[in-house]
Amino acid sequence: MVVFENKAILKLLLVCLFVQFSFSAANFFRPFNVTYDHRALIIDGKRRMLISGGIHYPRATPQMWPDLIAKSKEGGADVIESYTFWNGHEPVRGQYNFEGRFDLVKFVKLVGDNGLYFLLRIGPYVCAEWNFGGFPVWLRDIPGIEFRTDNEPFKREMQRFVTKIVDLMREEKLFSWQGGPIILLQIENEYGNMEGSYGQKGKEYVKWAANMALGLGAGVPWVMCKQTDAPGDIIDTCNNYYCDGYKPNSPNKPTIWTENWDGWYTSWGGRLPHRPVEDLAFAVARFFQRGGSLMNYYMYFGGTNFGRTSGGPFYITSYDYDAPIDEYGLRSEPKWGHLKDLHAAIKLCERALVAADSPQYMKLGPRQEAHIYWENTQSTVLNTTLSESQSACSAFLANIDEHNTVTVTFRGKSYSLPPWSVSILPDCSNVAFNTAKVGAQTSVKLVENALSPKISAPELVMTKNEVSSISESWMSVKEPIGIWSESNFTVQGLLEHLKVTKDESDYLWHMTRIYVSDDDVAFWEENKVSPTLVIDSMRDVLRIFINGELMGSVSGHWVKVVQPVQFQQGCSDLMLLSQTVGLQNYGAFLEKDGAGFRGQIKLTGFKNGDIDLSKASWIYQVGLKGEFQKIFTIEENEKAGWTNLKLDATPSTFTWYKAYFDSPDGSEPIAIDLGSMGKGQAWVNDHHIGRYWNLTAPKDGCLDSCDYRGTYGSNKCMTNCGKPTQTWYHVPRSWLQASNNLLVIFEEIGGNPFEISVKLRVPRILCAQMSKSYYPPLREWLHLDLIDGKVSISDMKPQIHLQCEDGQIISSIEFASYGTPHGSCQNFSKGNCHSPNSLSVVSEACVGRNSCSVEVSNSGFGSDPCRGVLKTLAVEARCVSTSTIGVSQF
């Protein structure tokens, strides 16, 4: 029998974890200092290994924040990370917004209340697939300004905002030395990618930004990500899919990973990215194995680009990011659960990790290696058995081979390492976790029609596929084509889009008058040609009208336009509607990117030659009439002159629609299905839920199964091929009332509002599959009997763990087999070996409960159903909301 070799250490670890939890929960706001050395951040005098989860507070509602933070903590996070968003906090120069979704102070305090630390990345450039990279558009209008370089107007504005944030955090006592959770700040963001574009002025800017930040007296360390020339007192950090080989630019700085990209963002008409959790866990384990100290998931929760906040061009409203917590605030399983186990395994190694200045390296094979962390650096790990001393030893065994499982020998024992995986040995002997072996549950989320009356579980199963339109009573009003108010103005020549709109609207109308002679008409008829509108370059969307009739549409990022048009003899109004679909959020010289048109605009094909419209007289009109009349609001919508819409109405362009709907019962997240619509924007009860666009992803580029092995990139493991990129749009429950919720849609290209429906995002099905050879639960490593030596780690049995979302219970076990089951989630079947009481054992343990654990062992199921065969337990369970099921059923 293998006894647990380090009782004293685990006793101390248990005490430390208890003290840490108690301190975090009850006395977190006792002031503490944060410094660092070459190995790690030093928090309150102690080195720490830290797991961080990115949550962007404006991409959720304040009502969602507590649950998101709690799930992050439950998942093993020590730190919450977020950018600040300058254009959200200062939409007008000198007028600040720290309310609602932009209540940064409230968010940071909630993090602290949960006993977690905070990493605040001020920037103020943030990228983040956020509109204009977080810069307010008014910044472009500062005379003489050039962004992110040694430019006095920009530096003055940047310093003013950064100072505002630091002062606010200090006033609210949110820095660690004040008893707050903020332990780390960031200035600038990925500037190293752009620095070369600015030459020497870029280098000077980096020095200035660092000195400016340090001069604010925040009292905690500052970082710069992707900035290898970060000045001496600024920690340079890594952003990438893998950062295990990263080393900071000074031996006195710790290795920090500010962005571990656990997914990727999505564009309209694009496929959906997916990063397998086996690879993600491998990357994290390798980072800590090779000397890393703080790792932040970008994102742990992605959320939603509400309103017009999505960057671009063409980034979708969802910012789900394939994160461990999905856009709606639900756990994404098995990603969340597998990472939770990984974090627990790393925490079991923390004492050894922080004690050693560097690991001892051992080559185990051609592409296999071990890193050993030993508290007593004088000991020889390779030849010494752990004693009953105060020393701690932890090891990471890695197999970097992408194809083959390899058996290695480490300290006299054999270990089987799957390809592209890391095994974690908290005691340098027993494996607690392997990154490629997923024991966490899988959660299958269904998008179900919202049904307002309370019903029983069987009824729910029968009715979930019924049509559930949002309303049979829709009203509409047409949006005028072209100039609609006296606020228009006339200018000779073309103006850049953003200089006119100031990004107050996506839309800008341009109108000019064209005279067509009889000779022109005769010339077209004789030569069988048509006049053509030619624009050197445009972005993002252009719609071309003549006398109110749509001639054509073009979309793209700085693309040439060649559009045939038709004129009648006489005077005609040529109207161009330029649109933005998210402002550029990445790249050098953002202030020069702009929108609308570049170069020359001309009409070709006229008898007397081309007509240059670049210098013509143009009438400009910003935005839509309904937009500026705010007909999407509860207060103003009745003034719009709505008329009833007939069921057989032809889909109409440039039309506003409205309807009312009741809020579904229960607590499940809500989405509006806009799959029947074309392109536009939507509002619910005055809240702008975002842009929508029904574009379909290419049919190719997706695989039936995703191989986690090997280096990941954003085009690997794509999903959703041949389907619309996004049809469901999140509506937070806090934006709804019980009944008469106002939904307003502005539709540009035509759609059928009668098919719009309310959906519930429901994690309905749970699956888990685990063999007897799997590892015991990580919590068993802290079991007192194990620590006291009364049992060995080999006596501990693996357990399947099932957990519904809060407010749900397990209503039934759809499948259970202990033996040799076949298949995968939603497709399990019994094998030749099957314990006949499998279903009853699992049902008794789980039905009627929010969560349950079932031991995977012969004793757990009463007997061995087939001797000499490795047994596996496979389970499929169903969750239901406690608000939609009768209590008597349980």
Side-chain angles (χ1 to χ4, degrees), residues 43 87 102 166 195 244 254 361 394 426 483 509 548 577-578 626 630 640 719 738 812 860:
I43 295 178
N87 51 14
F102 291 93
V166 171
E195 186 175 337
D244 53 286
Y361 175 80
S394 296
I483 309 305
W509 290 99
L577 177 62
S578 62
K630 298 181 185 281
T719 65
S812 62

Side-chain angles (χ1 to χ4, degrees), residues 2 34 85 92 200-201 240 320 389 407 442 588 591 661 688 818:
V2 179
V34 181
F85 298 85
V92 177
Q200 185 59 36
K201 293 181 72 175
N240 214 319
D320 183 86
S389 67
T407 298
T442 294
E591 74 280 3
F661 67 98
H688 194 172
Y818 176 68

Side-chain angles (χ1 to χ4, degrees), residues 587-704:
F589 311 110
L590 279 181
E591 74 280 3
K592 298 178 182 178
D593 186 71
F597 310 122
R598 286 178 179 172
Q600 188 182 44
I601 297 182
K602 62 182 179 181
L603 284 170
T604 65
F606 281 71
K607 181 177 181 180
N608 294 327
D610 297 347
I611 301 176
D612 184 0
L613 299 179
S614 305
K615 299 178 181 178
S617 178
W618 290 90
I619 302 174
Y620 291 87
Q621 175 75 67
V622 176
L624 307 171
K625 180 178 180 181
E627 188 178 22
F628 279 79
Q629 290 183 339
K630 298 181 185 281
I631 66 172
F632 50 81
T633 65
I634 295 173
E635 184 177 353
E636 301 293 338
N637 87 92
E638 294 297 341
K639 302 176 182 178
W642 302 92
T643 59
N644 291 323
L645 185 68
K646 296 181 179 179
L647 276 170
D648 59 354
T650 302
S652 178
T653 62
F654 285 78
T655 303
W656 293 84
Y657 299 101
K658 78 166 182 175
Y660 293 88
F661 67 98
D662 294 342
S663 178
D665 292 339
S667 59
E668 295 95 344
I670 295 173
I672 299 291
D673 186 347
L674 297 177
S676 64
M677 305 304 288
K679 179 184 181 299
Q681 300 179 41
W683 292 260
V684 172
N685 292 342
D686 300 1
H687 297 280
H688 194 172
I689 64 174
R691 301 183 182 96
Y692 67 88
W693 198 354
N694 198 5
L695 290 182
T696 300
K699 294 182 179 179
D700 60 345
C702 298
L703 301 175
D704 292 335

Side-chain angles (χ1 to χ4, degrees), residues 212-227:
M212 181 270 290
L214 293 170
L216 296 176
V220 297
W222 288 82
V223 304
M224 282 183 167
C225 62
K226 282 198 171 185
Q227 195 67 50

